[in-house]
C-alpha cells in the first residue's frame, strides 16, 4: 500500500518569468511546493531539461522516477516544446487528448498541456496555463453548486484574461494588457516623473476606477499627471489612481453579474475592490489551488502509461 505522504508525481506551472513546482502524493494531496525565478526568459539555449534537473536535485534528491505534468508558456513557441493550441470550445477531455507526451533525459515520463485559442471573425486570442486554473475553478465550485450553466472567470496578471464558460466548456477568451501597461506607464512615462514613495490609497484607487469607465483611455491617463499637479490626488497615491484607472477600464464592459477572480491574493484584492465599486459581484479563489485542482483533473483524463 502506498503511503499517503509518498511523493508520486510533480505538477509544474512554468511561465515566462517564474516557475512553480508542486510535489503531489498518490492520493492527489499537495506535499510541498517550490518556487523559482527561472522562467522561460532565463532559460538559455533551450536547456529546459538541465534547468529543471538542477532545481529538482537541490530540492528532491529522489525525483528521477516521478512523472511530471506541465502547463503554461513551457508549451509555447519559445518553450520546451511547441504544443499546438486547442480551439474553443474546449473541455477537459479535449485538452487532455491534445497534450504532448515525452520522456525526460533521466527517463521519467512528462506531459505538457496545450493552451487554448479563441477565434472571433478575423481576430484570435490565446492563453496558456490559465485554462488549467479555470477547470480547477469548476472543480472547486462543483457543478451542483452552480446557479446557471454559464460563468465568467477573470484571471488578473500581466495579461489579464476574461474567460467565459458554458457548462463544462471554455467558450470564449479575452486578454487585457492591464498589468503590463501599469508596469510600463508607472516606470517609463511622464506619469512616473518626480513621484515620492508610493502607498496604496483606496480613495485614489476608487477615483481611478470610476474615471476608467471611458473609451478615451489615452486621454484620461494624462489625468494621473494633472490630478497630481492640482492636488486632486497626492503625489504618493498616483500609482493607486493609475492602478484603479487601468483595472476600471478593463472591467467597464463586464456585466453586473457574479464573476470569479482567480490569482494571487494581492492582485485579486485589487480587482475585488474595483468590482465592489462597479457593483460587480465577485468571489476570489487562490490561483495555485485552482491550478492544482485543474491539473489533477487533467491527469485523470490523460491516456498516460506509467513506467
Amino acid at each position: 500500500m502506498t503511503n499517503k505522504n509518498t511523493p508520486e508525481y510533480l505538477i509544474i506551472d512554468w511561465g515566462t518569468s517564474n516557475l512553480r513546482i508542486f510535489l503531489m502524493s498518490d492520493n492527489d494531496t499537495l506535499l510541498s511546493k517550490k518556487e523559482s525565478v527561472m522562467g522561460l526568459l532565463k532559460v538559455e539555449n533551450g536547456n529546459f531539461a538541465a534547468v529543471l534537473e538542477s532545481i529538482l536535485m537541490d530540492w528532491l534528491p529522489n525525483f528521477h522516477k516521478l512523472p511530471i505534468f506541465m502547463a503554461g508558456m513551457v508549451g509555447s513557441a519559445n518553450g520546451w516544446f511547441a504544443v499546438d493550441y486547442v480551439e474553443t470550445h474546449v473541455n477537459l477531455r479535449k485538452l487532455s487528448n491534445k497534450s504532448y507526451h515525452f520522456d525526460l533525459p533521466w527517463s521519467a515520463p512528462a506531459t505538457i498541456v496545450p493552451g487554448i485559442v479563441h477565434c472571433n471573425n478575423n481576430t484570435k486570442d490565446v492563453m496558456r496555463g490559465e485554462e488549467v486554473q479555470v477547470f480547477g475553478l469548476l472543480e472547486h465550485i462543483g457543478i451542483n453548486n452552480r446557479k446557471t450553466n454559464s460563468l465568467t472567470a477573470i484571471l488578473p496578471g500581466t495579461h489579464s484574461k476574461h474567460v467565459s464558460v458554458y457548462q463544462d466548456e471554455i467558450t470564449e477568451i479575452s486578454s487585457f494588457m492591464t498589468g503590463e501597461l501599469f508596469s510600463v506607464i508607472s516606470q517609463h512615462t511622464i506619469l512616473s516623473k518626480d513621484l515620492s514613495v508610493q502607498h496604496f490609497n483606496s480613495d485614489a484607487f476608487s477615483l481611478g476606477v470610476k474615471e476608467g469607465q471611458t473609451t478615451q483611455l489615452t486621454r484620461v491617463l494624462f489625468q494621473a499627471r494633472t490630478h497630481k499637479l492640482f492636488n486632486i490626488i497626492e503625489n504618493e497615491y498616483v500609482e493607486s489612481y493609475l492602478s484603479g484607472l487601468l483595472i476600471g477600464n478593463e472591467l467597464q464592459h463586464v456585466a453586473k453579474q457574479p464573476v470569479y477572480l482567480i490569482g494571487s491574493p494581492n492582485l485579486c484584492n485589487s480587482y475585488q475592490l474595483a468590482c465592489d465599486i462597479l457593483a460587480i459581484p465577485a468571489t476570489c479563489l487562490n490561483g495555485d489551488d485552482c491550478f492544482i485542482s485543474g491539473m489533477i483533473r487533467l491527469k485523470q483524463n490523460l491516456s498516460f502509461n506509467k513506467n
Side-chain angles (χ1 to χ4, degrees):
M1 180 179 294
T2 303
N3 188 302
K4 66 179 181 179
N5 293 320
T6 300
E8 184 70 16
Y9 63 98
L10 293 164
I11 288 173
I12 295 179
D13 183 3
W14 205 333
T16 302
S17 303
N18 297 288
L19 167 68
R20 295 196 300 279
I21 309 173
F22 307 92
L23 178 64
M24 308 297 295
S25 73
D26 184 54
N27 64 350
D28 299 322
T29 299
L30 176 64
L31 298 177
S32 185
K33 174 184 173 181
K34 175 74 173 179
E35 296 189 62
S36 170
V37 295
M38 287 301 296
L40 269 62
L41 295 178
K42 293 190 177 181
V43 178
E44 298 180 354
N45 303 316
N47 291 322
F48 290 93
V51 168
L52 181 58
E53 185 175 23
S54 176
I55 293 172
L56 292 176
M57 285 182 66
D58 291 339
W59 181 44
L60 299 170
N62 300 316
F63 72 91
H64 289 91
K65 292 184 179 181
L66 298 177
I68 296 177
F69 302 87
M70 294 179 276
M73 293 302 290
V74 67
S76 69
N78 296 319
W80 198 335
F81 290 99
V83 183
D84 288 341
Y85 291 104
V86 181
E87 187 172 341
T88 54
H89 298 174
V90 179
N91 57 23
L92 271 170
R93 184 172 297 279
K94 190 174 182 181
L95 199 65
S96 300
N97 289 344
K98 297 295 184 179
S99 294
Y100 179 74
H101 308 287
F102 64 102
D103 288 330
L104 295 158
W106 51 93
S107 298
T111 298
I112 297 178
V113 176
I116 293 179
V117 58
H118 175 66
C119 304
N120 183 17
N121 296 324
N122 294 322
T123 64
K124 298 181 186 293
D125 212 325
V126 297
M127 64 182 181
R128 287 191 186 272
E130 294 93 349
E131 70 287 340
V132 176
Q133 293 177 308
V134 172
F135 286 121
L137 162 69
L138 298 182
E139 284 298 297
H140 275 280
I141 62 178
I143 191 167
N144 294 327
N145 294 324
R146 290 164 58 179
K147 296 181 180 179
T148 64
N149 286 326
S150 61
L151 63 83
T152 299
I154 297 176
L155 299 95
T158 303
H159 301 151
S160 179
K161 306 291 184 182
H162 293 206
V163 182
S164 298
V165 177
Y166 182 75
Q167 293 183 340
D168 63 347
E169 293 187 335
I170 292 175
T171 59
E172 188 174 351
I173 304 166
S174 298
S175 298
F176 299 82
M177 294 181 64
T178 304
E180 189 164 8
L181 277 175
F182 177 82
S183 178
V184 171
I185 293 170
S186 63
Q187 296 179 43
H188 303 292
T189 70
I190 187 66
L191 304 182
S192 67
K193 300 301 181 183
D194 303 320
L195 293 185
S196 59
V197 175
Q198 294 294 291
H199 301 283
F200 180 77
N201 179 266
S202 59
D203 290 336
F205 181 85
S206 179
L207 178 63
V209 170
K210 294 172 183 176
E211 294 187 347
Q213 309 303 293
T214 178
T215 58
Q216 297 182 323
L217 180 61
T218 54
R219 178 186 66 80
V220 177
L221 273 170
F222 195 68
Q223 293 177 181
R225 178 167 174 81
T226 56
H227 282 348
K228 182 187 71 170
L229 289 174
F230 294 99
N231 299 316
I232 296 173
I233 55 175
E234 296 181 34
N235 186 303
E236 62 186 311
Y237 303 146
V238 169
E239 287 189 0
S240 295
Y241 171 79
L242 179 60
S243 175
L245 183 66
L246 292 173
I247 294 174
N249 191 257
E250 175 188 331
L251 298 177
Q252 66 176 312
H253 297 302
V254 174
K256 302 297 191 288
Q257 297 175 354
V259 300
Y260 293 91
L261 304 172
I262 306 173
S264 68
N266 285 341
L267 275 176
C268 283
N269 288 342
S270 294
Y271 275 70
Q272 174 85 68
L273 179 55
C275 284
D276 291 344
I277 294 165
L278 298 174
I280 301 170
T283 301
C284 294
L285 290 96
N286 182 275
D288 283 354
D289 291 343
C290 288
F291 183 79
I292 292 171
S293 294
M295 287 297 279
I296 289 172
R297 281 300 313 277
L298 281 161
K299 172 181 171 289
Q300 293 169 348
N301 277 273
L302 286 168
S303 55
F304 193 88
N305 296 320
K306 292 185 178 181
N307 292 339

